[in-house]
Amino acid sequence: MSDRAGGDAMDEILRQWARERPDLDCSPMGVIGRISQLQREVFLAQRATFARHGLDAPSFDVLAALRRAGEPYQLTPTALMRTALVTSGAITQRLDRLEERGLITRGRSDADGRAVVVTLTDAGRTALDTALPDHLETERDMLAGLTDDERDQLGALLRRWLVALGRVPGGIPDPS
Amino acid sequence: MSDRAGGDAMDEILRQWARERPDLDCSPMGVIGRISQLQREVFLAQRATFARHGLDAPSFDVLAALRRAGEPYQLTPTALMRTALVTSGAITQRLDRLEERGLITRGRSDADGRAVVVTLTDAGRTALDTALPDHLETERDMLAGLTDDERDQLGALLRRWLVALGRVPGGIPDPS
DNA sequence: GGGAGGTGCCTCAGCCCTAAGGTGACGCCT
DNA sequence: AGGCGTCACCTTAGGGCTGAGGCACCTCCC
């Protein structure tokens, strides 16, 4: 097939493009493609970790956002939508699942008749606080192949890239 | 809410964790979380590009794999499954869609009665070759906020990380 | 104070995926 | 020849998301 010793999947892809389309500069794929692949590895590793705690990524995402918010662990669906970067319909469904399991409760806001207030239950907080150290351990494991310097360098570059992309924190416009 | 000037979304999240769980070292999230966010930005930008050419990411993925393979632009579903990192069922459905649009054809292999040979049609090759420069332009745009040095550095770090993760190129085991 | 426009959440159809299982073909071994 | 384990691909049920649309409520301004 190819000498794959010491390379990753993108090396082979770039080699193929260089052969088939030598007229094109495909170097951007080197960065972008690897981001996609790494995200996939991260996703799979996280999913396995969450499963050990009876959770999945979307649920963890919501529970973590509520936990991060601090006492009294309350956010509106709109706020959750912004941090999770999914549509309002997705948040509704996530909350349905979490509510059914007793990990959150939904109540109407006193201040705004349209708004819903999502509250982390004790069970929800316990579930999250139990899973969190394991989650962090998984992330640390994934990074174990890099030196501390490399990790810092990588984090700084990714951060700079995100800032350059001009993503204002919180994004998805609700289709309403 | 917070001073978000000059930071990205992860800065705020890390700040919140530092406040709520000062006992935990959440620094791995800085790298992992940003990978996820960047992948999302990449995905959205690519989707918009593909849509301009009447394609979507899964279709482009398959067409590009066939195109990269070179003359006579043929691969088996199993090979496509490995490069796309999705299950066999997903490939079957992708091929159904592409076949219906006349961008690929399916034929049985002469050498192996079980195998299918997927071939890129002229229309498929044209579609891909038309979309490819635009696709690369999109990727270049996304990276425009980084200097050449930073891009190289980033690419090298991501590559090293993937190698360290020990991902053999081509992965998904078929559930058969 | 009443209407217009905006906001917050939900609903629903449709998409693409996974996971699990089925069918037919291959290949080795007796 | 026949049997057994494997392989290649397809099928199907179900999950989570998007995108579009609907309804109630809020806000602002005439």
Side-chain angles (χ1 to χ4, degrees):
Chain A
M1 291 283 159
S2 61
D3 56 315
R4 49 186 45 163
D8 68 352
M10 276 312 297
D11 285 337
E12 172 65 12
I13 290 177
L14 290 171
R15 188 157 40 231
Q16 288 183 302
W17 279 127
R19 186 187 65 227
E20 293 298 319
R21 294 298 303 266
D23 56 316
L24 295 175
D25 170 21
C26 292
S27 58
M29 287 187 191
V31 176
I32 307 262
R34 287 183 173 104
I35 288 285
S36 298
Q37 289 186 12
L38 283 165
Q39 197 277 336
R40 187 176 175 283
E41 296 297 331
V42 164
F43 172 78
L44 292 175
Q46 289 181 344
R47 186 174 58 166
T49 302
F50 295 146
R52 283 198 295 276
H53 296 273
L55 295 172
D56 52 21
S59 296
F60 183 90
D61 210 28
V62 169
L63 296 180
L66 288 164
R67 180 65 183 84
R68 281 200 314 267
E71 295 268 24
Y73 308 121
Q74 292 184 332
L75 289 173
T76 65
T78 298
L80 288 167
M81 185 178 85
R82 284 194 228 284
T83 82
L85 301 178
V86 293
T87 59
S88 62
I91 290 295
T92 296
Q93 295 172 40
R94 290 184 182 189
L95 294 176
D96 288 346
R97 298 194 289 271
L98 289 168
E99 190 175 31
E100 190 176 7
R101 298 185 52 193
L103 300 179
I104 60 129
T105 59
R106 268 195 273 218
R108 294 222 80 90
S109 161
D110 295 331
D112 186 334
R114 296 165 298 182
V116 167
V117 176
V118 178
T119 307
L120 195 59
T121 63
D122 286 348
R125 180 176 165 180
T126 300
L128 182 98
D129 280 339
T130 304
L132 186 55
D134 199 4
H135 173 63
L136 279 167
E137 184 58 27
T138 298
E139 296 194 331
R140 241 183 296 276
D141 277 357
M142 296 215 69
L143 288 165
L146 300 179
T147 67
D148 286 356
D149 265 4
E150 287 171 336
R151 280 178 35 171
D152 292 348
Q153 226 181 340
L154 180 55
L157 282 167
L158 295 174
R159 185 177 179 288
R160 190 197 307 271
W161 188 8
L162 268 170
V163 171
L165 278 178
R167 314 321 299 137
V168 195
I172 287 250
D174 191 44
S176 62
Chain B
M1 284 287 165
S2 59
D3 55 313
R4 49 184 46 160
D8 68 352
M10 277 311 298
D11 285 337
E12 172 65 11
I13 288 177
L14 289 172
R15 189 158 40 234
Q16 288 183 302
W17 280 127
R19 187 186 66 229
E20 293 298 320
R21 294 297 304 265
D23 55 317
L24 294 176
D25 169 20
C26 292
S27 59
M29 286 187 191
V31 177
I32 306 264
R34 286 182 173 106
I35 289 284
S36 297
Q37 289 185 12
L38 284 165
Q39 196 277 335
R40 188 176 176 283
E41 296 298 329
V42 164
F43 171 79
L44 292 175
Q46 289 182 343
R47 186 175 58 166
T49 302
F50 294 144
R52 284 199 294 276
H53 297 273
L55 295 172
D56 52 22
S59 297
F60 183 90
D61 210 27
V62 169
L63 296 180
L66 288 165
R67 180 66 183 81
R68 281 200 315 267
E71 296 268 23
Y73 307 121
Q74 292 184 332
L75 288 173
T76 65
T78 298
L80 288 167
M81 185 178 85
R82 285 194 227 285
T83 83
L85 300 178
V86 296
T87 59
S88 62
I91 291 294
T92 296
Q93 294 173 41
R94 289 184 184 189
L95 294 177
D96 287 345
R97 298 194 288 272
L98 289 168
E99 190 175 30
E100 190 176 9
R101 297 184 53 193
L103 301 179
I104 59 131
T105 59
R106 267 195 273 218
R108 294 223 81 89
S109 162
D110 294 331
D112 186 336
R114 297 166 297 182
V116 167
V117 176
V118 179
T119 306
L120 195 61
T121 63
D122 285 349
R125 179 176 165 179
T126 301
L128 182 99
D129 280 338
T130 305
L132 186 55
D134 200 4
H135 173 64
L136 279 167
E137 185 57 28
T138 298
E139 295 194 331
R140 242 183 294 277
D141 277 357
M142 296 215 70
L143 288 165
L146 300 180
T147 67
D148 286 355
D149 266 3
E150 288 171 336
R151 280 178 35 172
D152 292 347
Q153 225 180 341
L154 180 55
L157 282 167
L158 296 174
R159 184 175 179 291
R160 191 197 306 271
W161 188 8
L162 269 170
V163 171
L165 279 178
R167 311 325 294 139
V168 195
I172 287 248
D174 191 44
S176 62

